[in-house]
Amino acid sequence: MDRASLKSTMSPRNVTRRDVVTGIGAAGVGAAGAATLGRRASAQARGPLTVTIWTNDDPAQTAWYQKRAQLFNAANPNIKVDPQRFPAGELGKKVSVGFATGTAPEGFLTFDFLMPVWLDKNLVAPLDVQRLGYASIDSFTGDHPPAALSNLVKDGKAYGLPTWFHAFSNWINLKHFKEAGLDPDKDAPQTWEQFGQVAKRLTIKDRDKFIRQGGKFAMHSPVWTMIQFNPILLQCGGAWFDASGKCTVNNAAGVRAMTIRASLVREYGAEDPADSVATNPLPMMDWLRERTSMFLVHPVHPNAIKSQNPRMFADGDYRAIRYPGLEPGKGYATTYGFVLTVNAQAPKEKQDVLHDFYKFFMAEPLEVWKETAPFAHVRRAGGWQQDPVVTGFPNAKWLLQSREEGVALPRTLVFNELGDAMHRAVQKIVLNNADIQASLNEAAAEVDRATAAYRRA
Amino acid sequence: MPSSSCTTDPEANGVPAQTPPATRRFWHIGFRRRIQLWGVAFVLPALLFFAVFKYGPMLWAIGLSLTSYDMVSQPSFVGLENYQSLASDPIFQVTLLNTLVYIGVSTVLITLIGLALALAINTGVPYARHCMTAMFLTNLMPVIAVCLVWKFLLHPFGPITQLLAPFGAARIDWVTNSATAMPSIIAVTVWRFAPYFMVVFLAGLLAIPDDYYEAAQLDGANAVRRFWHVTLPLLTPVIFFVVVVSALLCARIFLLPYFITGGGPGSATRVLSMLIYDTGFSYLKMGRAAAISVVLFAIMMVFTVLQMRLFMRNERMLA
């Protein structure tokens, strides 16, 4: 090419704006394509296989996830397990949005009472229990308290691996008992009637104002309402649903259970339900600060007591005792726990990695106890519960035993609707003195509508 | 040279007319047309933004309201079933009534109190500007902080009850009694929004020429008549703006009732935005949630159109 023709080819007058725009666009598309191809090529060059797990944000549990992931990753250089944490209350919604947008992780933690929904929508894969270290599903079942598996086994297959698992207990303030002339060993309430009577004796009032509430139910959240009411309903011979799926919380047993639930306010005047609604973001704060003498709650970490009430911690003025029942010594509480699952849409190789990590994660319950006590892994095996480190921990014996005796929350596809309906009913009954039967009728009708809508969908 | 004898008309030279290249065609169009096209080009990003992030989702929500969608399965078309089920749902009916009461009472109070505050400040009382600044600060506080502070203030034995103690109030369940919970939420809403609209009213008042007041005063009109016959008519467009905007703000309220009462006790303070949130993200019924939001949208649309017609008729009458 001669110089003149070269010049004419390069002349700006031959380049239109369209050419420039087209050129930039083509360059952009090319660059984007090259980047994508580059990433793909680099992925194909055997980078570490990344497996993401969404977990809750409990500090102790988070630390354990990070610790185990680091050890696992170090032992498997081609694998990167990445636990990411989110607020426990929002995790279910986060996972739903993840599935809706195609960004759900390969594994996720969930409350056991939400498992029926994930199962019904085929979002979680059945676990290979042998890969988890169990000889069979029976040995897997035998390693867990019954309530821990009631929401996650279907057609003889386990769809989730329970991790931390708790039962509620009645936490009592020993100093208050002594001040009221009560012996914590003899007078600790075993029945609901005793619970009300003891609470009444523990209560201190200045006209309408409670200086100290004798006992307390949480009023801040539908899940807590469900957890605290569930055993009362079952103890009264009630059930949440009948065989056809109709909500039966408004039958005679349900009314009796709700009458017991409301008696602390209505009959014994030992609780101010408005107080906790209006003030405390942390439901057990009233108990920690000694504004209530008894509170039905999950295991309380000694550090929580120490930080909020150093005197109570130093004097050891607290004890976890059996949840009240209809008969002495027969009370039991709701259990709940966190369950690890495998996304059914995850590739097989990532599902395998998750199995291996979950097995590793659950392998040392004693070490878990040392780091997160009194919150403990669910497993029975290994004799860790008899270790002096465990048995020497305050209240450990009862806290572990209560898990074996506890009952799970109802297995239902409309758990959130049920919880909201019951929460509203309890609010109306104890805050506004509404009729128990009418309030439960409304709640049952609401749940039945939700069930019908779910079935239609 | 042959080229020098060519005319500008190609056909005159026996050469067939050729269509100019597209790029040249753009530069050869008229100046006015080019300016218009440039205008469109400048507006286009904003239009695209609204189309993608505002009108697109709105249309998507309307479409979604005709489906059953649980966020994890594919949406399935169900026609008007979501709307039909809403019509017979007592929870929706109670929530709708709550929302209408909340919007109606809050809007009236915000407008009246906002206007009253603006009039008070416009009279030139001492420290009026300081008062205005202090009151406007309520708008600058984060909503969460507002909720926490009011939760404390509205405790049964909290500071507000203490203030009322000389009048015999020992305990008032502000947010835990069905009778007082909604008024409490409305009071917090008015506290938060009235000062903002006070500033809007103040701007409207300052825009009214003093001549009108002087003329009215010369004619012997007292303060009430001046307000009724001068201020109010000239403030009509501002009042319309305040009523419509405050109603729209109230229709979208979520955080105040969500954090202060959680919608309770029972369903006493549950508003539609909370029901939409629960239905969509807690019960995983996105189609139904979309149907509720379409109903809310329709209510606000009807309200706004009615307001517009009412105020336009008033303006015509005044003119």
Side-chain angles (χ1 to χ4, degrees), chain A residues 40 69 76 98 235 319 389 416 437:
Chain A
R40 195 169 296 168
N76 301 276
Q235 288 166 10
R319 184 185 296 169
V389 174
N416 288 333
Q437 181 71 67

Side-chain angles (χ1 to χ4, degrees), chain A residues 100 121 272 275 416 420 432, chain B residues 70-71 155 171 178 266 282-283:
Chain A
K121 297 184 187 303
D272 182 358
D275 183 52
N416 288 333
D420 283 352
N432 296 162
Chain B
D70 63 4
M71 292 177 71
H155 186 272
R171 172 195 179 117
S178 296
S282 192
Y283 310 156

Side-chain angles (χ1 to χ4, degrees), chain A residues 32 43 47 98 122 182 190 208 269 276 385 398 416 427 434:
Chain A
N122 297 318
L182 295 164
Q190 297 192 50
D208 280 350
S276 62
Q385 295 184 19
W398 169 248
N416 288 333
Q427 283 187 332

Side-chain angles (χ1 to χ4, degrees), chain B residues 121-134:
Chain B
I121 285 175
N122 197 38
T123 53
V125 291
Y127 302 109
R129 286 189 173 188
H130 298 87
C131 289
M132 190 176 75
T133 307

Side-chain angles (χ1 to χ4, degrees), chain B residues 170-188:
Chain B
R171 172 195 179 117
I172 302 174
D173 291 322
W174 295 106
V175 293
T176 50
N177 187 304
S178 296
T180 50
M182 182 56 92
S184 300
I185 294 292
I186 290 173
V188 179

Side-chain angles (χ1 to χ4, degrees), chain B residues 90-106 178 182 186 250 253 263-272 274:
Chain B
I91 294 289
F92 173 74
Q93 288 162 6
V94 169
T95 311
L96 179 62
L97 186 64
N98 286 344
T99 309
L100 293 176
V101 168
Y102 173 78
I103 294 172
V105 178
S106 298
S178 296
M182 182 56 92
I186 290 173
C250 292
I253 201 81
S267 295
T269 55
R270 207 180 196 197
V271 289
L272 282 180
M274 291 173 71

